[in-house]
Amino acid sequence: MEKIIQAVRGMSDCLPEECPLWRKVEDVIKNIIGTYGYSEVRIPIVERTHLFRRAIGEVTDVVEKEMYSFRDLNSENLTLRPEGTAGCVRAAIENSLLYNQEQRLWYIGPMFRYERPQKGRYRQFHQFGVEVFGLNGPNIDAELIMISAHIWRELGIDKHVRLEVNSIGSLEVRKKHRIALVSYFKRHVDMLDEDCKRRLHTNPLRIFDTKNTDVQKILGDAPCLSEYLDEGSKQHLIGLCKFLDAAGIAYTVNERLVRGLNYYNRTVFEWITDTLGSQGTLCGGGRYDNLVEQLGGKSTCAVGFAMGLERLILMLKKLELTQVCPSVDVYIVTIGEDSMVVSMQLAVQLRKELPALRIMNHFSGGSFKKQLKRADKVGATIALILGEEEIKKETVVVKDLINGAQNIYSQSEVAKYLAKLSR
Ligand code: ATP
Ligand code: MG
């Protein structure tokens, strides 16, 4: 026998059983973002490797060790996108979306990172992302946080998430802080692991992201970025907190919060849950006022966030919030030779008259009992029964699968009755 070919490690199939929950989450997200007036963008999954190197930063985990990069047949260096911001900025610049305009954009789609697969961490995963260009106040930062809070509320998980915000200041602030940090860590170099020692020279701020508990012990006394914050950044954070207070959104200011991608400045935030163990960050975002210029565009301020959909789905399952509507309303059951043709014609007619109704024909024969069992299994609430008698009289039996009641209607009138039910 031929060997079975398996999916790539860390990349999973979303099977029919799971898709309705995904659809529900995506629908909630799309409906909510629509009510804020944001516009969807669809951008390529493959970009030039160079784009991510320049946007995310050479010395980040993502660029150093997590990218799916390859050469195409024309020897171009390409990468499967590990995140959506870089491509979004590239597209905005390339298509002149930023020329004296503001933009409020969103996207949903797969991202790829070569990470160690585990619960909540995959090599192909999906993000909902929002990117806003041309607005520099803390009000828009607050609105992005409000949008994410709105999504938690609608999904029923708002009691299980918490918000952390921080300001990481300007580039100059981070330079000053970096000098102080390097000198502090050099004094404690014995405590650092190899990874952190390397980060000490490349990107010392990333040491704060370490998962090594020994290194974490010396983080408490390390110079804190907040001591170096410029007045503008301080005021921006105060402004953000004011808007969040007014919106009734609880948060903590975590002065140790830094983000894994280099492009952020000023506001950074994360939504965290304790229901998922160590993969607890549901959503992260912040300002990136320098990125557009860094990628060759005209200086344009920007802010955005991305949330991981797999983690959201895991959370809904954990909290048993997986109720979804069944995908079939009406199941058409047939007995006898001639009824199949009529059953398919009836389905066509009903779909025309009642476009919202989800109708499934039974195709695999078998006893009446077997067919009704199948109707139950697909979640239908009504069975339409076409036997020899019904074909002769051009009628149909309507069986309510919830209370068992049965009524007979003419085939041409049954849509009217079903319309009443679906209302
Ligand atoms: P983490 O610290 O968990 O690695 P991150 O800082 O790398 O997260 P971001 O780049 O900010 O994550 O991406 C935003 C969100 O996308 C995360 O909060 C998470 O929900 C989700 N995410 C990131 N990487 C993965 C992954 N490998 N698998 C599943 N979801 C992911
Ligand atoms: Mg990561």
Side-chain angles (χ1 to χ4, degrees), residues 177-410:
H177 175 239
R178 182 189 159 120
I179 293 168
L181 211 55
V182 170
S183 113
Y184 172 84
F185 283 127
K186 274 189 174 160
R187 272 181 274 132
H188 295 87
V189 74
D190 300 345
M191 302 285 284
L192 298 181
D193 58 24
E194 284 313 306
D195 211 27
C196 290
K197 274 183 193 155
R198 207 171 35 82
R199 287 176 180 176
L200 181 57
H201 299 289
T202 53
N203 190 352
L205 206 57
R206 295 280 292 132
I207 296 176
F208 283 99
D209 262 358
T210 185
K211 306 250 160 36
N212 182 329
T213 46
D214 286 334
V215 179
Q216 280 171 354
K217 282 183 199 142
I218 60 165
L219 296 181
D221 291 329
C224 194
L225 193 89
S226 61
E227 299 156 29
Y228 295 81
L229 271 195
D230 56 294
E231 196 50 33
S233 296
K234 272 189 204 162
Q235 288 307 322
H236 193 96
L237 181 61
I238 291 170
L240 171 63
C241 293
K242 238 190 252 167
F243 284 114
L244 293 178
D245 290 335
I249 294 176
Y251 58 88
T252 51
V253 177
N254 173 4
E255 291 178 348
R256 301 280 172 206
L257 178 65
V258 293
R259 307 265 314 122
L261 315 175
N262 274 358
Y263 46 62
Y264 290 106
N265 68 296
R266 288 198 170 177
T267 306
V268 290
F269 66 90
E270 278 186 1
W271 286 96
I272 301 157
T273 178
D274 295 325
T275 58
L276 294 181
S278 50
Q279 265 61 251
T281 311
L282 281 179
C283 173
R287 251 186 193 275
Y288 50 95
D289 296 327
N290 302 303
L291 185 59
V292 175
E293 196 171 11
Q294 202 178 305
L295 292 180
K298 195 180 101 196
S299 172
T300 306
C301 53
V303 56
F305 71 72
M307 63 176 68
L309 301 189
E310 279 76 4
R311 291 185 193 177
L312 265 185
I313 299 276
L314 277 175
M315 206 175 156
L316 292 173
K317 286 184 181 166
K318 185 83 193 283
L319 297 171
E320 298 182 4
L321 297 170
T322 51
Q323 269 319 50
V324 289
C325 295
S327 48
V328 178
D329 302 310
V330 172
Y331 197 82
I332 310 186
V333 163
T334 62
I335 313 277
E337 298 264 302
D338 306 328
S339 53
M340 196 66 242
V341 172
V342 178
S343 122
M344 290 174 77
Q345 283 169 338
L346 184 61
V348 169
Q349 173 203 327
L350 290 176
R351 284 195 193 97
K352 232 184 248 165
E353 291 186 51
L354 302 168
L357 204 65
R358 286 129 350 136
I359 304 158
M360 191 180 238
N361 285 99
H362 183 88
F363 286 132
S364 54
S367 69
F368 183 56
K369 201 169 148 207
K370 178 193 151 188
Q371 297 192 37
L372 284 183
K373 230 186 199 165
R374 179 96 194 118
D376 256 340
K377 188 155 181 242
V378 298
T381 49
I382 290 175
L384 298 184
I385 303 163
L386 291 167
E388 276 162 23
E389 187 70 15
E390 285 74 35
I391 302 299
K392 239 187 271 157
K393 294 187 181 156
E394 295 189 9
T395 58
V396 56
V397 177
V398 179
K399 185 177 170 74
D400 185 323
L401 294 173
I402 293 164
N403 63 18
Q406 274 187 207
N407 288 295
I408 298 175
Y409 293 89
S410 77

Side-chain angles (χ1 to χ4, degrees), residues 61-62 66 113 115 121 211 311:
D61 280 353
V62 171
E66 296 176 359
R113 295 185 194 178
E115 301 199 71
R121 191 175 296 287
K211 306 250 160 36
R311 291 185 193 177

